[in-house]
Amino acid sequence: MPNLKGIFQGKQKFVTVKAGTVREEAPDGLWTKCGKCGGILYKKELTLNLGLCGDCGFHFRLSARERIAITLDENSLVEYDEELLTVDPLGFPGYNIKVEAAKQATGLDEAIITGKGSIDGYPVLAGFMDFSFVGASMGSVVGEKVARLFERAARQRVPVIIFCASGGARMQEGMFSLMQMAKTAASCARLSGTRTLYISVLTNPTTAGVFASFGSLGDIIIAEPGALVGFTGQRVIEETIRQKLPPGFQTAEFALEHGLIDMIVDRRNMRKTLGSLLSLHGGRRQDAG
Amino acid sequence: MINLGLEFEKPLIELEKRIEDLKEFGLKKGIDLSNEIAILEKKADTLRKEIFENLTPWQRIMIARHPKRPTALEYINLIFDEFIEFRGDRAFRDDGAIVGGIAGLGGRPVTVIGTQKGRDTKENIARNFGMPHPEGYRKALRLMKQAEKFRRPIVSFVDVVGAYPGVEAEERGQGLAIAHNIAEMAKLATSIIVVITGEGGSGGALAVGVGDKLIMLENAYFSVISPEGCAAILWKDGSRAQEAAEMLKLTAPDLKAQGFIDEMLHEPQGAAHKDGVAMARVIREAITRGIDELSGIPPRRLIERRYARLRRTGEFAVREIPASDLPMAAAGNEDMPITPDLPDLEGGCDET
């Protein structure tokens, strides 16, 4: 019997994000501009506000660490596969330097953090992609971490939630990169066969190879408001059809209207929504946390 | 490209023309020029060998995109005893950029899928230049599920520059269609043979390109991104595609060396479009061999093999972690079996 207690009471249990856990976006500026309404925002306040514009609710991009802090129960994350490191299988000019620079800039080893944690006490295996790491493109390490996450979930019968964000494949890894689509999709299909829940959350932007693999394979697909969600890049489409694209093309709202996703969830309600979904899929709270 | 001779072939084409002229001249005038012709033909052979044995990746791409390169339907008609085309995705429309149906191969039924380019402008418009919409991928999946149901092998011919980059394609879920095809092909309970005959354009090719045996023609290519796209990203200059083509390691020999394909098929002298019939014969042999090889493997084992094959792909290093620093969760990782319990083929599975 699933524990349904409290799921409709809507008590929000957001974790407070400590200022120290959050990376400074640009060390030179304390202020930033909203990408939608153009309002000037105090960065610290933005961080405390889950990365939302106080005026218009625009969802700023979050780093993986920031996302973890506002999604999982405090200190619940045990990371998986941190030891996997990117190599340069094709000897692609400039690739090592690019990866090194991304490591320096983000403090991450790759574009995804995976691990086991909990949301509102419900155990989950979760993945958090970080767009600031080479556009969260999917190379061998991202693909391997995702595949292992699905495989672990299949063994443990624990639901998976992946916060997707990606510009697509990591072209510097050539075919190794393309095949990560097949690898992650295959392991996702196996998970599905064990009747274990997988929720994919599409954040801004989720495109190309990630959208066309595990991003689209969730039992439930959620998107954040305004997130760019699509397969082909807009520039390529414009060049092909030789027309300007309509406003709102490939947004989360567009995807919802065309029946491609289940719902759009505001970041302020994300934790609650995920908690409800986990509960309704028979999740059992470890410790009421 | 209207010019049917490729730039690097020019000296050869000129030589071939001289031989033709000479033959004609001899015939007309009643002069025996066979010695001269023989010498020139020998020279042409040497030149042809020289050119085609030292093709650059870009030259191979030019061959793969050659307007005379045989299309899927041409190969299908040459290879199979009989082919009955099935159409439509049963939901939206029939996509001409993907063809499929049932065919006979040496008395055995097989399901055939192919990405289909056009031969001329009119056909290319009807076939959308061989670039599928989501409904094309959904048609392919429908036919592949049908193959699974009737336990017949699938042969998929891939020659596609990419999934169609258009507004409607996005509206109808191009990304979802591709994702579902890949996921389903990974667990289909029948054998799948993929033949990459020309262009293997990224996700749009992968969506019909997952299989138990990957066969690739010598001058086909398969790439995560088009060389033009890669150059545009790297240097904001699509005209440097030749350099990008070198870097992407996308040719059949490259991919054979990287272990992505099982078999590379040599093309007739001067590439497949010079002798489609001979090429089809070679492909037919390879497909027959493949089907024979896979026919004895039970479906469950086939799925395991296919999964293991996909699971292996990727290159990464592993950072050494001192044993004392190992988090508990990671400690048992190496001992964990890579594959979970095999999911039930019908999608259900008993809980432990």
Side-chain angles (χ1 to χ4, degrees):
Chain A
M1 178 69 192
N3 180 7
L4 298 174
K5 234 194 295 173
I7 64 159
F8 295 119
Q9 288 160 16
K11 55 178 172 166
Q12 302 208 354
K13 280 195 200 158
F14 293 125
V15 241
T16 318
V17 184
K18 289 188 214 99
T21 62
V22 175
R23 181 174 48 87
E24 287 284 345
E25 289 284 336
D28 50 320
L30 290 167
W31 303 88
T32 189
K33 203 173 152 188
C34 173
K36 193 175 167 196
C37 71
I40 305 295
L41 303 166
Y42 186 41
K43 272 191 186 168
K44 239 175 209 153
E45 206 165 313
L46 182 66
T47 304
L48 291 172
N49 199 21
L50 309 171
L52 299 184
C53 170
D55 291 333
C56 72
F58 175 71
H59 284 50
F60 279 73
R61 213 172 266 157
L62 294 181
S63 71
R65 294 280 173 211
E66 288 166 335
R67 180 74 66 178
I68 291 167
I70 68 164
T71 305
L72 296 181
D73 297 333
E74 211 170 343
N75 296 323
S76 70
L77 181 73
V78 179
E79 272 191 52
Y80 288 145
D81 305 312
E82 293 165 89
E83 70 279 12
L84 302 187
L85 296 174
T86 302
V87 296
D88 177 16
L90 304 186
F92 199 97
Y95 183 40
N96 281 330
I97 296 165
K98 200 175 183 69
V99 170
E100 261 328 297
K103 284 184 180 179
Q104 293 294 324
T106 60
L108 301 170
D109 281 329
E110 251 299 346
I112 190 167
I113 295 174
T114 57
K116 186 169 189 170
S118 61
I119 293 174
D120 202 14
Y122 299 107
V124 286
L125 299 199
F128 302 88
M129 301 187 79
D130 196 315
F131 193 75
S132 50
F133 194 101
V134 198
S137 48
M138 175 159 60
S140 299
V141 170
V142 170
E144 182 69 18
K145 285 175 102 170
V146 170
R148 288 189 185 188
L149 193 70
F150 285 134
E151 288 179 343
R152 282 194 174 90
R155 284 193 293 266
Q156 300 177 19
R157 301 287 203 271
V158 174
V160 176
I161 299 175
I162 299 182
F163 284 82
C164 302
S166 180
R170 182 80 53 85
M171 67 176 187
Q172 292 90 345
E173 293 187 24
M175 261 319 254
F176 292 101
S177 166
L178 185 69
M179 291 309 290
Q180 302 311 307
M181 287 173 70
K183 182 163 97 181
T184 55
S187 52
C188 187
R190 293 214 139 192
L191 175 72
S192 186
T194 66
R195 292 161 63 211
T196 305
L197 175 67
Y198 162 44
I199 301 173
S200 71
V201 184
L202 311 181
T203 75
N204 188 37
T206 301
T207 61
V210 166
F211 182 57
S213 60
F214 62 89
S216 284
L217 293 172
D219 298 300
I220 299 162
I221 307 178
I222 299 174
E224 280 201 324
L228 177 73
V229 168
F231 179 63
T232 307
Q234 303 204 343
R235 200 175 39 82
V236 178
I237 298 177
E238 283 186 339
E239 280 169 14
T240 308
I241 63 172
R242 298 206 181 83
Q243 278 171 36
K244 275 268 163 237
L245 292 167
F249 182 67
Q250 287 183 330
T251 57
E253 293 72 16
F254 170 96
L256 186 72
E257 190 194 325
H258 287 97
L260 309 180
I261 60 173
D262 289 283
M263 58 183 139
I264 295 173
V265 176
D266 188 290
R267 201 173 283 165
R268 283 163 289 198
N269 300 324
M270 189 64 81
R271 231 179 90 87
K272 182 167 160 275
T273 306
L274 293 175
S276 297
L277 291 171
L278 290 168
S279 164
L280 289 164
H281 283 83
R284 275 154 213 246
R285 282 202 175 95
Q286 291 166 317
D287 290 317
Chain B
M1 215 171 49
I2 305 300
N3 179 12
L4 296 187
L6 298 168
E7 192 59 34
F8 60 88
E9 285 184 297
K10 263 193 182 150
L12 181 64
I13 290 167
E14 274 162 26
L15 196 57
E16 281 169 345
K17 184 159 189 323
R18 260 173 65 199
I19 295 169
E20 281 309 306
D21 288 349
L22 213 56
K23 276 181 181 165
E24 209 175 296
F25 182 79
L27 219 60
K28 234 191 233 162
K29 302 274 169 182
I31 317 167
D32 181 18
L33 294 170
S34 52
N35 274 346
E36 287 80 353
I37 290 170
I39 290 168
L40 284 182
E41 272 178 343
K42 206 169 164 209
K43 207 173 148 193
D45 272 349
T46 318
L47 189 60
R48 195 177 291 121
K49 251 196 184 141
E50 213 168 275
I51 290 173
F52 282 92
E53 278 172 12
N54 298 293
L55 290 172
T56 66
W58 183 249
Q59 288 169 341
R60 287 192 198 275
I61 290 170
M62 292 292 96
I63 294 173
R65 292 176 179 170
H66 197 287
K68 288 265 181 212
R69 195 158 175 92
T71 67
L73 278 177
E74 285 163 0
Y75 281 131
I76 290 169
N77 288 323
L78 286 166
I79 289 169
F80 299 98
D81 316 329
E82 140 179 64
F83 171 64
I84 303 168
E85 187 177 353
F86 299 149
R87 297 175 64 170
D89 68 340
R90 297 277 203 275
F92 184 69
R93 65 163 197 151
D94 183 49
D95 185 346
I98 290 193
V99 295
I102 186 169
L105 181 69
R108 264 184 305 207
V110 295
T111 284
V112 181
I113 307 284
T115 52
Q116 181 64 30
K117 291 181 179 176
R119 253 286 155 256
D120 49 40
T121 311
K122 197 176 153 218
E123 202 195 343
N124 256 322
I125 289 165
R127 305 238 176 244
N128 198 33
F129 294 84
M131 291 182 282
H133 280 75
E135 54 271 23
Y137 292 117
R138 289 174 182 138
K139 168 166 77 172
L141 183 57
R142 176 177 81 81
L143 297 179
M144 290 190 286
K145 297 290 271 185
Q146 191 180 71
E148 180 184 50
K149 176 176 174 180
F150 295 107
R151 290 278 191 268
R152 50 180 180 250
I154 296 164
V155 180
S156 177
F157 292 91
V158 180
D159 178 16
V160 56
V161 65
Y164 184 60
V167 173
E168 292 84 6
E170 292 293 320
E171 286 176 346
R172 298 199 284 271
Q174 191 72 284
L176 283 117
I178 293 171
H180 281 282
N181 272 33
I182 297 170
E184 291 292 329
M185 288 181 92
K187 59 174 190 184
L188 224 45
T190 190
S191 54
I192 309 171
I193 293 178
V194 177
V195 188
I196 301 149
T197 61
E199 301 189 82
S202 193
L206 193 61
V208 283
V210 177
D212 302 298
K213 194 167 182 82
L214 264 71
I215 296 166
M216 196 165 171
L217 305 199
E218 190 181 350
N219 296 314
Y221 78 93
F222 201 169
S223 181
V224 64
I225 186 169
S226 72
E228 289 88 346
C230 178
I233 291 171
L234 282 182
W235 307 297
K236 314 261 173 274
D237 182 2
S239 67
R240 288 173 73 181
Q242 300 204 22
E243 287 165 70
E246 303 272 341
M247 289 153 68
L248 285 166
K249 304 273 191 290
L250 41 64
T251 67
D254 285 333
L255 296 174
K256 183 88 172 65
Q258 291 169 17
F260 289 115
I261 60 167
D262 302 290
E263 211 173 318
M264 180 177 88
L265 302 182
H266 288 289
E267 297 188 13
Q269 276 212 337
H273 60 278
K274 290 282 161 69
D275 193 346
V277 175
M279 190 71 249
R281 203 178 308 124
V282 173
I283 297 173
R284 184 193 158 101
E285 279 164 22
I287 292 173
T288 307
R289 262 199 317 278
I291 291 177
D292 284 343
E293 211 177 284
L294 297 167
S295 65
I297 306 173
R300 285 176 85 92
R301 172 91 195 98
L302 211 54
I303 295 170
E304 279 307 314
R305 272 175 43 137
R306 198 181 308 140
Y307 185 71
R309 175 195 186 109
L310 296 174
R311 196 58 193 80
R312 274 199 303 273
T313 58
E315 295 265 303
F316 50 84
V318 179
R319 183 197 290 126
E320 302 255 346
I321 301 176
S324 54
D325 289 358
L326 270 180
M328 266 178 19
N333 283 353
E334 305 320 310
D335 301 325
M336 284 193 211
I338 283 291
T339 51
D341 306 341
L342 185 72
D344 188 275
L345 296 181
E346 302 308 319
C349 190
D350 293 334
E351 296 236 9
T352 34

